[in-house]
Amino acid sequence: MAEADVAVEVESFLHGAKIIEAAIRTGADAIHPGYGFLSENAAFARDVLAAGLIWIGPDPDAIEAMGDKIRAKKLVAAAGVPVLEGGSFPLLIKAAAGGGGRGMRVVTEAEELEPALAAAEAEARSAFGDGTVFTEPYLPLARHIEVQVLGDAAGRIWVVGDRDCSVQRRHQKIVEEAPAPGLSGETRAALHRHARNAAEAVRYRGAGTVEFLVDGDRIFFLEMNTRLQVEHPVTEAVTGLDLVAWQLAIAEGRELGDAPPEPSGHAVEVRLYAEDPARDFAPQTGRIRAFTIDTSCVRVDAGVAAGSQVGIRYDAMLAKIIAHGPDRNAAIRLLGDALRRAEIHGLTTNLGLLRAILRDDDFLAGRVDTALLDRRLAAWTSADRDHPVRKAALAAAVGSAVRTAVSGRVQSRIPAAWRNVPSQERVRTYRCGDAEYPVTYTSRGGRLESSWLPGVSVLGIDGDRVVLDDHGVRESYRVTVVDGGVDVDGPDGSYDLRTVPVFTDPAANLAAGSLLASMPGLVVAVHVESGQRVAAGDPVMVLEAMKMQQTLTAPADGMVASLSVEVGRQVAAGDVLAVIDSAASAVPSTSSVPPASTVPSASTVPPADPSSSRS
């Protein structure tokens, strides 16, 4: 909105009638629906046309035909495109009327099928207004490959290359690249042929994407997205085409040429999300204090900037970062360097995970499939990254000490870290994630020294720059003192370090059995009442934020001693939502339970509210 000449506020981007009204009121002659839910809403497309406006997208009949997954499979199968058939386990339950990971469940055993179907139907009905679901064989080691197409009103179809989108979490993409690496010439040609046949089956007009699963040399149609894809920049990078400009041109009646340009080089895109990968990708909210990504070598499509407030209503994606190079290795190196030097503070993101993916041996070798993230997530988020955090904490402690000494109004000439008992070191404790780092340091001869981290010493401090020596390697860190902590940017990335106070507030002590909000969100369901007995693992309530729900469960057998929220209540991460009194337990339990004071486990499913963008 900051770059718009004219802006009209509407309650939600899902309110089609309000959007049409705004277009007419401002004198617009066309509507581009972006890549959210309205972009694949045939009824909205027809309403736009009925209002005398130009619809920048495919014919509503094509949207309708491909929007119903069951109908789409029959349609493309008749055109010779291979589809998944059969009912053997494992199975994937999918919503017929929508995608983006909504209403989707993997079922591995027969006894799981009935409850999974019920849950998927309810989710699909809430998200898309249609509870119809279907099943197909689940291929966990297949690759997710998609083909970009453009079509004009004259019936000409361009096949504009392919993309690999296999690195996913919760059936939503994290990394995309073009062209798809490691495909044989025969497989690539077959994918392009099948994509053309699918597009021609509905006389497709505009930009669209045909998605496939590739299992070895077998190809299966997944769906056709009748819209612009989030990952379209990688195709633009390797072809030089502006796909949005072509959407506009085709809507104005322009015809395509004989053939699209051949791809050149390689492009990789990552999606930066406000989420915590180490906590089951729980959404994160808050104000972004710093948001700096060097755009000299990468393209950044961002919806936020320093000072932006990230809330719970919409998708967790903050930005797309795209690198283009002469080959795949060059593109990955450029992208990895941009991510390494990115400075993002204020809320937890998946930036560290993205860096780890780009360094992974399997990814670098092109050995990707849709289960890669599940197999490698523990390694990508492992605690072996503890040493870089400790160095950041050391830089934060000594840098803050010098700043405090310089800016002090009283006794400002006293050296940093000076103590009247010189045998005792100063201590500053920081928290990063769940870990605490009690950094010790002292002043000797006017210089700050620390023996807290063996092999790492402080070489110098100049303004906001701290130089450390790590076993003979000099490293520079930028230290920014903020309210409640320190932001540190160094060679291993960015860290938000919160200062742990020396004296704790007695009011901060939690009652045993406290059920805490694992993420900021909206309470959408409460399954218990005060005084009700529960068993460990019983569902207590459901929180929703961005594109996911979390079911909070009882941490132990007991009785609901207090319940402090109701449906519709907005909560912050760490809020006490209920207290389970395990001393009042009368529920038999045959399994061990976690300590009552710990945060309970949470199972993750896509949300029931469709007020978020597609992925």
Side-chain angles (χ1 to χ4, degrees), residues 147-397:
V147 179
Q148 177 73 57
V149 297
L150 282 172
D152 63 20
R156 178 177 284 112
I157 300 293
W158 272 6
V159 174
V160 194
D162 46 74
R163 302 183 284 254
D164 187 291
C165 306
S166 298
V167 182
Q168 306 177 0
R169 58 98 170 98
R170 297 200 307 270
H171 307 292
Q172 295 173 337
K173 303 158 190 173
I174 296 179
V175 181
E176 302 103 351
E177 54 183 310
L183 295 180
S184 67
E186 294 80 4
T187 299
R188 198 181 306 274
L191 283 165
H192 292 193
R193 183 175 66 254
H194 294 321
R196 180 184 299 278
N197 290 343
E200 289 178 343
V202 290
R203 290 187 59 83
Y204 196 79
R205 185 183 72 244
T209 302
V210 188
E211 302 195 357
F212 299 92
L213 283 180
V214 177
D215 187 25
D217 59 357
R218 299 186 302 162
I219 298 173
F220 302 102
F221 171 83
L222 271 179
E223 62 182 357
M224 183 173 187
N225 287 308
T226 53
R227 57 179 169 88
L228 193 70
Q229 291 283 91
V230 176
E231 57 273 18
H232 75 275
V234 292
T235 296
E236 292 184 331
V238 297
T239 62
L241 295 172
D242 185 329
L243 293 178
V244 177
W246 269 108
Q247 284 186 297
L248 299 173
I250 290 169
E252 290 177 332
R254 182 176 171 184
E255 294 186 4
L256 297 167
D258 292 333
E262 289 295 322
S264 174
H266 199 93
V268 183
E269 171 184 294
V270 293
R271 301 190 190 190
L272 181 70
Y273 285 111
E275 63 186 16
D276 187 350
R279 292 178 175 269
D280 199 21
F281 299 97
Q284 305 292 300
T285 62
R287 188 179 70 85
I288 298 176
R289 291 193 300 270
F291 191 86
T292 302
I293 303 173
D294 184 1
T295 58
S296 62
C297 294
V298 297
R299 166 179 167 178
V300 178
D301 292 358
V304 298
S308 295
Q309 189 73 27
V310 178
I312 68 166
R313 289 194 62 191
Y314 301 112
D315 191 275
M317 188 168 65
L318 302 176
K320 303 177 294 181
I321 308 163
I322 307 100
H324 177 239
D327 54 46
R328 186 171 185 264
N329 288 337
I332 292 173
R333 283 196 296 269
L334 285 170
L335 185 54
D337 183 61
L339 297 184
R340 184 182 60 82
R341 293 184 289 110
E343 298 180 359
I344 301 171
H345 295 285
L347 74 172
T348 301
T349 72
N350 68 334
L351 183 59
L353 174 67
L354 297 176
R355 293 192 189 107
I357 292 172
L358 296 184
R359 293 192 302 264
D360 184 80
D361 289 341
D362 283 338
F363 178 80
L364 290 172
R367 296 189 295 266
V368 294
D369 56 65
T370 55
L372 178 62
L373 184 139
D374 291 335
R375 294 196 305 273
R376 302 289 293 147
L377 182 61
W380 291 341
T381 58
S382 67
D384 63 3
R385 304 295 297 163
D386 187 60
H387 185 65
V389 183
R390 288 179 176 273
K391 289 189 291 184
L394 175 58

Side-chain angles (χ1 to χ4, degrees), residues 7-185:
V8 179
E9 183 177 359
V10 294
E11 183 179 344
S12 168
F13 71 86
L14 294 175
H15 289 183
K18 295 290 186 181
I19 293 173
I20 293 172
E21 177 186 323
I24 294 173
R25 185 148 53 99
T26 57
D29 60 2
I31 288 182
H32 190 299
Y35 43 63
F37 282 100
L38 286 182
S39 63
E40 292 185 291
N41 188 314
F44 176 63
R46 291 190 177 102
D47 290 344
V48 170
L49 295 171
L53 299 167
I54 296 172
W55 168 250
I56 303 174
D59 186 273
D61 289 342
I63 297 175
E64 200 164 60
M66 288 299 184
D68 184 324
K69 302 292 188 297
I70 298 174
R71 180 182 173 190
K73 287 178 70 172
K74 293 178 180 177
L75 189 66
V76 301
V81 179
V83 299
L84 278 169
E85 300 288 359
S88 59
F89 292 98
L91 291 173
L92 184 62
I93 302 172
K94 300 173 70 173
R102 310 288 293 276
M104 193 174 288
R105 295 288 190 281
V106 175
V107 180
T108 59
E109 298 178 3
E111 56 265 27
E112 301 173 357
L113 184 58
E114 186 173 343
L117 282 170
E121 287 170 356
E123 228 169 63
R125 188 177 300 108
S126 176
F128 310 116
D130 184 346
T132 305
V133 298
F134 65 97
T135 64
E136 62 187 20
Y138 178 55
L139 305 177
L141 299 182
R143 295 175 61 183
H144 187 143
I145 308 291
E146 59 190 31
V147 179
Q148 177 73 57
V149 297
L150 282 172
D152 63 20
R156 178 177 284 112
I157 300 293
W158 272 6
V159 174
V160 194
D162 46 74
R163 302 183 284 254
D164 187 291
C165 306
S166 298
V167 182
Q168 306 177 0
R169 58 98 170 98
R170 297 200 307 270
H171 307 292
Q172 295 173 337
K173 303 158 190 173
I174 296 179
V175 181
E176 302 103 351
E177 54 183 310
L183 295 180
S184 67

